[in-house]
Amino acid sequence: MPTVQNKLIRFAEQKISSVIGLTVKVGKVSPVLWDGVALYDLCILDNQNDTIASSAYLAASVKSIDSDSSSFALSKVTLSQPKVYLAYDSAGVFNLEPLLQSLLSDDTTSNMRLSIDEIVIRKGRFSYEDMTEPISSEKGIDFSHIQVMDISAFISDLLVENGTYSASIQKLSAHEKSGFDLSYLYGNVLVSDSTIDCSDVTISTVDSKVYAKHFSLNYDDFSDFSDFCDKVVISANINRSSIALHDISYFASVMEQLPYRFTVYGDFEGTVSDFEASDIHIGYGKSTQFVGNVAAKGLPDIEKTNFTLQVQNLSTNSYDISHTRLPFQETESYVQLPNLLNAFSFYKFRGKVNGNLQDISLVGTLLSDAGAIDLDARVIQNENILCEGAVALNQFDCSYLLDGSDLVGQVSAGFDVSATFDSESFFLSPSSMISPFS
């Protein structure tokens, strides 16, 4: 029997090696009733004899094999404790290059077709190391040095054909060394050398739940993920979802100090650093809501980001504003409204906003308890906040600005104004009156 076992091992090693173009080691081979085989202590080595992939146990049940057409059909594959190690060495050489060359060569597997009805993965690990890049000290996933653990998955209808991979993920969970936990993911996925395309996707973490009709990542090659914000183009149609900025911070560390959760749905196109989002609905806090289109360029550096908002509706209140934490502060601090603005129970705006955090232009209508104000103005932030531009009041109840005093009632008038305020004071200078008081 040892002789038979050794022959089976050698046969398995040689057969797999001839297909993938890499050295294969197998500890033990045994049959699986009725039409399968199990491999124990499987190990795949690169040209430097370093491990690329391994599995304590791999069992496969065969449906059909047509060696003439390089077509393989399996009914089920089970992997226990599989590990995959991908790496660029210090000279920039990819350890998977021989396999890629084998897959792309005309005389090996370029015409190979592999289908698997079911795949079960238990306690898997995945690592990716780019030795040409330093280890990042920032919070979040370091896309040049990825370590994913505790991978569990149930996958159906895998098809490998013409350099593309498609499957239906019934459930996938994992943990990344940064602390990011994927509770579960399911959906349909297609992967090629330039895109990851998903449909009917559900992604769940402890704090977020995302539902997407369609979601894709587009890139020139996989190395683009090391510069995710600038090089990976995202296209998404998001159904109503709940997203915590805590989770986003694993991909964009600038969000780390913003402990907020939003409801959101709409369409997104572009990179993180240069995108357009249309028909966006965002909800936050007790009653804050945004509906409209957004374009932004410059993220994740929020201080240098320019944005344009076509606002169909932006509504909020003093409570939500005053409970919004200011980003990029050494100490925990929140937005402070001038005392006179605390008299209003709600604010609504419709119009266009563009600029950056230091210089914002607004054209539109602001509604509050006191009435309507038409604006064509700029808001400039330095030591204080400067507002200047044209303001038109329409039956605006000025008593809200005067602690309820009836000295001045409803006013309709137009001004060119300049106003300066901070959390303690407010100074208004009307430079000219466009239309008379009424």
Side-chain angles (χ1 to χ4, degrees):
M1 290 299 291
T3 302
V4 174
Q5 180 63 215
N6 289 335
K7 287 183 178 180
L8 287 173
I9 291 173
R10 300 290 84 77
F11 175 80
E13 291 175 345
Q14 292 169 9
K15 195 66 177 178
I16 300 173
S17 293
S18 67
V19 172
I20 66 175
L22 294 168
T23 301
V24 175
K25 298 293 184 182
V26 177
K28 180 183 175 181
V29 179
S30 65
V32 177
L33 294 178
W34 295 96
D35 51 4
V37 63
L39 306 180
Y40 295 83
D41 299 324
L42 171 67
C43 188
I44 301 173
L45 308 175
D46 63 16
N47 291 342
Q48 282 71 46
N49 216 35
D50 293 325
T51 301
I52 288 179
S54 65
S55 185
Y57 174 81
L58 185 156
S61 299
V62 180
K63 291 174 66 176
S64 64
I65 296 177
D66 186 345
S67 57
D68 292 334
S69 61
S70 298
S71 178
F72 306 88
L74 308 178
S75 58
K76 185 174 182 178
V77 172
T78 302
L79 297 103
S80 180
Q81 299 178 47
K83 300 175 183 178
V84 177
Y85 311 87
L86 305 184
Y88 283 90
D89 64 21
S90 57
V93 178
F94 190 32
N95 68 341
L96 216 58
E97 191 63 32
L99 175 59
L100 296 177
Q101 291 178 354
S102 177
L103 292 174
L104 296 174
S105 65
D106 293 334
D107 57 351
T108 54
T109 58
S110 60
N111 297 317
M112 184 187 76
R113 186 182 192 276
L114 170 65
S115 64
I116 305 175
D117 294 342
E118 294 182 4
I119 301 174
V120 178
I121 299 174
R122 302 187 182 100
K123 296 182 179 179
R125 294 177 66 96
F126 171 83
S127 70
Y128 171 80
E129 295 287 341
D130 187 346
M131 303 301 181
T132 66
E133 295 291 336
I135 296 176
S136 174
S137 60
E138 292 185 355
K139 172 187 168 64
I141 298 173
D142 182 350
F143 284 98
S144 295
H145 305 276
I146 299 173
Q147 296 285 342
V148 185
M149 299 153 280
D150 299 325
I151 301 172
S152 296
F154 177 72
I155 301 168
S156 63
D157 302 322
L158 173 70
L159 177 63
V160 181
E161 188 174 28
N162 299 324
T164 62
Y165 304 76
S166 62
S168 178
I169 300 174
Q170 304 299 322
K171 185 175 182 181
L172 171 65
S173 61
H175 171 80
E176 211 277 331
K177 69 174 182 181
S178 61
F180 178 73
D181 277 306
L182 177 64
S183 300
Y184 64 83
L185 177 152
Y186 60 82
N188 303 311
V189 61
L190 182 146
V191 179
S192 72
D193 59 359
S194 61
T195 187
I196 298 174
D197 191 88
C198 308
S199 61
D200 299 324
V201 177
T202 296
I203 301 172
S204 178
T205 70
V206 173
D207 298 312
S208 301
K209 283 184 172 56
V210 179
Y211 306 96
K213 183 69 175 176
H214 173 260
F215 178 85
S216 68
L217 302 175
N218 302 284
Y219 43 87
D220 291 331
D221 58 61
F222 286 108
S223 66
D224 285 351
F225 280 87
S226 63
D227 191 5
F228 185 89
C229 291
D230 290 328
K231 293 185 176 180
V232 178
V233 178
I234 304 168
S235 178
N237 173 230
I238 306 296
N239 296 334
R240 186 178 180 85
S241 301
S242 175
I243 299 176
L245 293 185
H246 168 73
D247 286 328
I248 300 298
S249 71
Y250 287 104
F251 301 88
S253 58
V254 70
M255 303 293 184
E256 180 180 2
Q257 294 183 343
L258 301 177
Y260 302 117
R261 183 182 285 107
F262 298 84
T263 58
V264 60
Y265 59 95
D267 298 324
F268 183 101
E269 186 75 32
T271 63
V272 172
S273 62
D274 186 2
F275 70 85
E276 294 183 1
S278 58
D279 195 24
I280 293 295
H281 293 65
I282 300 173
Y284 160 71
K286 288 190 172 182
S287 61
T288 298
Q289 183 183 63
F290 171 87
V291 180
N293 302 328
V294 179
K297 190 171 185 177
L299 289 172
D301 189 344
I302 192 70
E303 297 289 341
K304 296 181 180 178
T305 296
N306 292 301
F307 55 82
T308 299
L309 290 78
Q310 299 283 353
V311 184
Q312 298 175 28
N313 177 50
L314 173 60
S315 57
T316 188
N317 56 55
S318 298
Y319 179 90
D320 283 352
I321 295 174
S322 62
H323 284 76
T324 299
R325 183 175 172 178
L326 291 169
F328 323 117
Q329 305 295 312
E330 293 183 0
T331 59
E332 187 173 317
S333 54
Y334 294 81
V335 174
Q336 297 293 317
L337 281 173
N339 291 331
L340 65 90
L341 295 184
N342 286 318
F344 301 109
S345 64
F346 74 91
Y347 310 90
K348 291 185 178 181
F349 177 78
R350 180 185 179 93
K352 182 177 181 180
V353 181
N354 61 67
N356 53 59
L357 290 184
Q358 290 74 41
D359 189 349
I360 301 173
S361 296
L362 305 94
V363 178
T365 300
L366 176 65
L367 296 173
S368 69
D369 311 66
I373 303 176
D374 292 325
L375 300 170
D376 185 353
R378 290 177 67 193
V379 179
I380 301 171
Q381 181 174 342
N382 38 55
E383 293 182 358
N384 297 317
I385 298 175
L386 170 66
C387 299
E388 59 182 13
V391 176
L393 309 180
N394 183 13
Q395 295 296 307
F396 188 84
D397 188 350
C398 290
S399 65
Y400 279 86
L401 303 178
L402 302 171
D403 292 328
S405 170
D406 58 2
L407 181 64
V408 180
Q410 291 187 340
V411 173
S412 293
F415 300 93
D416 285 331
V417 301
S418 177
T420 302
F421 62 89
D422 56 27
S423 60
E424 301 296 332
S425 61
F426 176 81
F427 177 75
L428 173 66
S429 174
S431 56
S432 64
M433 186 181 297
I434 301 171
S435 59
F437 279 103
S438 63

